[in-house]
Amino acid sequence: MNDVVQFESVGLRYGMGPEVLQDVTFALDSGSFHFLVGASGAGKSSLLRLMYLAQRPTRGYISLFGRDVSTTPRDDLPALRRKIGVVFQEFRLLAHMSAFDNVALPLRVANVRESEIKRHVEELLVWVGLKDHMKARPSTLSGGQQQRVAIARAVIARPKLLLADEPTGNVDDHIAQRLMHLFDELNKLGTSIVIATHNEAMVRRSGRKVLKLAGGELRVLDNVADDDSDEFASVFAGDRGRILL
Amino acid sequence: MKFRFAGPELPFARDDTTRFLPWLMAFMVFLAALSVAGFFVLGDAARAIDRGIENTVTIQLPAGDNVKADEDRIAGALTMLRAMPGVASAEALNREKIVQLLEPWLGAAARSTEIPLPWVIDVRVDRANAPKAEAIAALLQPYIPGVMVDDHGVWLQALLRAVRSSEWIAIIVVLLNGLAAAATVVFVTRAGMGLHRETIEVMHFVGAHDTYIARQFALRASLLGLKGSVIGVVLAAPALMLLVLLMGNLGFGLLPEIRLGVGTWISIAGLVPVAAAIALVTAHTTVLKSLGRMI
Ligand SMILES: Nc1ncnc2c1ncn2[C@@H]1O[C@H](COP(=O)(O)OP(=O)(O)OP(=O)(O)O)[C@@H](O)[C@H]1O
Ligand SMILES: [Mg+2]
């Protein structure tokens, strides 16, 4: 079994609320690349949270790298999480740490040697254009710069699965393309990638596969063109308004 | 390589919760140090009382009208006592000594010739086959009517019981202090975890083991515990020396001289690593337990 992620009839509800996700079934191959789309509130972040073990499903079966998540002992979870890089929608950078230390975090908790950490982190921060901001605290960085720190932290440990929640939402087109290029490179090295986004142009341009969430259900589309109806466009319709705001 | 003792991930330096831990620790270690010293002093006292119970018998002879006749009777009594099996020595206390013993109670009256002070014989007996007080009384009674033999048994036993239970109280106070210290560390650690929840979550997401996080809390707590217990011991030492000085001036006749031996000081110093260890272990288990409830 080569599946990096496998969901079977997964359902999720928060508290007594309605099911945000219903009967979600899909599998991601290693080396795959998907965009995750859906209107605001459709459950994109929730689906990603299930994949990076921040949330347990209310029903259904989830396996990561061939392991049933519900029966994986707690002691084995860090090993799973180290194979998963996450770019959070709200970044979740640690405010008391420099950009450098934030990016170094995944290596430090894995007890990588400090000399090696320095080399890798500096290289990556230069690559994402933050050469001059390594010592800066997140609060002194712009939204786009913070986002790049978050992305650097997600990819620093060469994850097998990269989950990004709107990673290009706060950057200009030039940097967005640069970041997409970074994801492409990572993907070529074998990392499976799922990017939740409202950026219609980016999805269309890439021609990548699409996971589409609507009404709590998930559909896998080979590419945007496959979308019958005008449904796909309508997925973004609500968001154009949001972006303008 | 950068020195990362408590780890840079958790920003403890900004915690107000951990600021008061050293002072609570200092207070508890201070109390524990007093209890430890009390335990040792009481132990000395108990041993001295124990020795007294087994070794000494006091004999009172009523004073007659004629001092010379009294002295003859005492000499006779001493001869009889020394011949008795189980008696190691028998000595009459001289008049001056008796007056000294009674002066604290009687004041100047002790020196007055108006009050007929009894004569006192101090008998030391063999631990192994000590004669009973009744046997001594039976021996002397025919020659010296009104003789009183007291082996201090009843009230020394009572005193010994009191001292022994005080020893237990000292031990219990030390143990309770340990529990209170642990409870404080649990509270402070939980508060710290709440404060650093975001950091802990992110550390989890990037693959930190629970023990990696727990270690940082544990090291932090033990450093604070170390600091606090050193303060506690440093404050306890002069306080104890002052107490010993004050108690020494009281001059209890029965109890041995109160002194704090090397063993006592070593035990008090031992509170420092013990407190640090309590903080370390408690913080570590507290964090592991709480993290176990997170996803
Ligand atoms: N912690 C939570 N507790 C309760 N309800 C939640 C929680 N998180 C999300 N929800 C609800 O679940 C639904 C899906 O939210 P989610 O954040 O997954 O949407 P999304 O697709 O990521 O939206 P957006 O594009 O705006 O980021 C929403 O209705 C939201 O209100
Ligand atoms: Mg979202």
Side-chain angles (χ1 to χ4, degrees):
Chain A
M1 194 168 59
N2 220 5
D3 290 339
V4 169
V5 179
Q6 201 191 336
F7 275 49
E8 271 170 34
S9 313
V10 170
L12 173 68
R13 69 168 84 236
Y14 293 101
M16 300 314 270
E19 270 201 320
V20 173
L21 300 173
Q22 299 167 13
D23 281 316
V24 170
T25 300
F26 70 99
L28 302 180
D29 281 344
S30 84
S32 60
F33 196 129
H34 291 83
F35 284 106
L36 174 60
V37 301
S40 180
K44 301 182 292 299
S45 297
S46 301
L47 183 67
L48 292 177
R49 271 204 290 276
L50 288 172
M51 285 195 260
Y52 60 76
L53 302 172
Q55 189 91 55
R56 297 237 182 238
T58 20
R59 61 186 176 95
Y61 166 89
I62 298 177
S63 92
L64 292 172
F65 308 102
R67 294 193 69 163
D68 178 354
V69 168
S70 66
T71 61
T72 301
R74 186 172 176 81
D75 259 1
D76 293 351
L77 292 181
L80 276 187
R81 286 180 169 132
R82 283 175 199 179
K83 295 186 193 169
I84 304 170
V86 187
V87 183
F88 302 95
Q89 189 163 15
E90 340 65 75
F91 312 144
R92 304 190 73 168
L93 299 175
L94 298 182
H96 61 280
M97 285 188 204
S98 67
F100 181 97
D101 286 334
N102 267 286
V103 175
L105 192 61
L107 302 179
R108 290 223 168 101
V109 302
N111 295 314
V112 174
R113 286 208 353 260
E114 204 66 23
S115 58
E116 228 172 294
I117 290 176
K118 188 169 152 59
R119 194 160 54 83
H120 288 306
V121 173
E122 283 180 356
E123 191 184 2
L124 184 57
L125 281 172
V126 169
W127 208 93
V128 296
L130 292 173
K131 185 172 181 287
D132 300 326
H133 297 92
M134 293 200 195
K135 290 204 159 60
R137 293 286 162 99
S139 57
T140 66
L141 297 173
S142 75
Q145 288 168 331
Q146 290 181 32
Q147 197 155 35
R148 281 179 276 160
V149 175
I151 290 168
R153 182 179 67 188
V155 303
I156 188 71
R158 299 263 168 99
K160 295 260 166 283
L161 171 65
L162 181 81
L163 305 172
D165 207 345
E166 299 217 48
T168 55
N170 287 279
V171 294
D172 62 41
D173 233 35
H174 170 69
I175 291 179
Q177 294 211 16
R178 222 176 134 77
L179 291 176
M180 281 312 297
H181 182 62
L182 175 66
F183 294 145
D184 279 337
E185 290 297 314
L186 212 62
N187 183 237
K188 275 182 203 150
L189 293 171
T191 299
S192 306
I193 294 181
V194 178
I195 298 175
T197 184
H198 290 94
N199 188 332
E200 186 180 354
M202 188 168 76
V203 177
R204 288 191 187 284
R205 199 164 48 224
S206 75
R208 300 283 193 180
K209 291 184 184 174
V210 170
L211 301 170
K212 198 179 93 174
L213 270 174
E217 285 169 25
L218 183 90
R219 289 172 55 202
V220 186
L221 310 174
D222 272 344
N223 59 58
V224 182
D226 278 8
D227 202 5
D228 32 39
S229 73
D230 232 9
E231 218 179 328
F232 192 75
S234 67
V235 161
F236 294 109
D239 302 315
R240 282 208 194 92
R242 202 178 74 147
I243 288 164
L244 286 177
L245 283 174
Chain B
M1 197 182 124
K2 213 160 71 175
F3 182 62
R4 292 197 286 133
F5 187 40
E9 286 93 5
L10 290 156
F12 292 118
R14 305 161 177 209
D15 285 13
D16 284 327
T17 44
T18 51
R19 207 154 290 164
F20 77 120
L21 181 59
W23 293 106
L24 282 174
M25 275 289 193
F27 178 65
M28 288 181 283
V29 167
F30 181 85
L31 289 183
L34 296 195
S35 302
V36 166
F39 174 79
F40 278 94
V41 167
L42 289 167
D44 286 349
R47 268 185 298 281
I49 293 168
D50 209 28
R51 241 179 280 124
I53 287 174
E54 295 188 18
N55 285 351
T56 68
V57 175
T58 305
I59 298 173
Q60 275 186 46
L61 307 96
D65 301 332
N66 184 332
V67 172
K68 182 76 185 83
D70 282 350
E71 279 172 353
D72 285 348
R73 278 193 299 165
I74 289 168
L78 287 176
T79 314
M80 278 195 282
L81 286 167
R82 283 171 186 155
M84 214 181 169
V87 172
S89 71
E91 297 297 335
L93 296 190
N94 66 36
R95 217 59 192 156
E96 187 54 28
K97 179 88 182 173
I98 294 170
V99 168
Q100 270 177 22
L101 279 176
L102 291 176
E103 221 166 9
W105 278 275
L106 301 181
R111 300 205 171 270
S112 152
T113 47
E114 300 291 303
I115 297 174
L117 293 180
W119 300 90
V120 175
I121 296 177
D122 211 4
V123 180
R124 303 218 159 257
V125 294
D126 259 353
R127 257 160 203 272
N129 56 339
K132 287 234 177 309
E134 296 81 44
I136 296 174
L139 179 73
L140 297 179
Q141 194 65 42
Y143 303 93
I144 311 163
V147 69
M148 279 163 59
V149 180
D150 181 6
D151 62 1
H152 315 298
V154 176
W155 86 271
L156 278 185
Q157 287 287 1
L159 185 61
L160 185 63
R161 270 198 302 277
V163 168
R164 289 259 182 252
S165 34
S166 306
E167 269 185 290
W168 277 108
I169 290 173
I171 292 173
I172 289 168
V173 167
V174 172
L175 293 180
L176 284 179
N177 266 307
L179 278 181
T184 309
V185 171
V186 168
F187 172 76
V188 168
T189 304
R190 291 228 180 108
M193 287 185 75
L195 218 56
H196 300 301
R197 191 186 171 82
E198 171 67 9
T199 306
I200 291 171
E201 276 186 18
V202 170
M203 286 168 78
H204 260 159
F205 291 143
V206 300
H209 273 282
D210 289 353
T211 49
Y212 183 92
I213 296 164
R215 198 157 53 225
Q216 297 193 13
F217 277 97
L219 281 173
R220 172 73 178 174
S222 70
L223 277 180
L224 295 174
L226 199 67
K227 187 172 149 192
S229 50
V230 166
I231 295 173
V233 166
V234 163
L235 292 180
L240 280 171
M241 289 191 276
L242 188 68
L243 266 180
V244 167
L245 200 70
L246 293 177
M247 304 250 272
N249 285 345
L250 288 180
F252 294 114
L254 244 171
L255 298 177
E257 189 194 349
I258 293 176
R259 44 186 293 277
L260 301 173
V262 179
T264 311
W265 287 116
I266 289 176
S267 303
I268 289 174
L271 291 172
V272 171
V274 168
I278 287 176
L280 185 89
V281 172
T282 307
H284 202 265
T285 40
T286 303
V287 173
L288 286 187
K289 253 198 166 146
S290 312
L291 289 182
R293 275 182 247 119
M294 281 172 78
I295 176 169

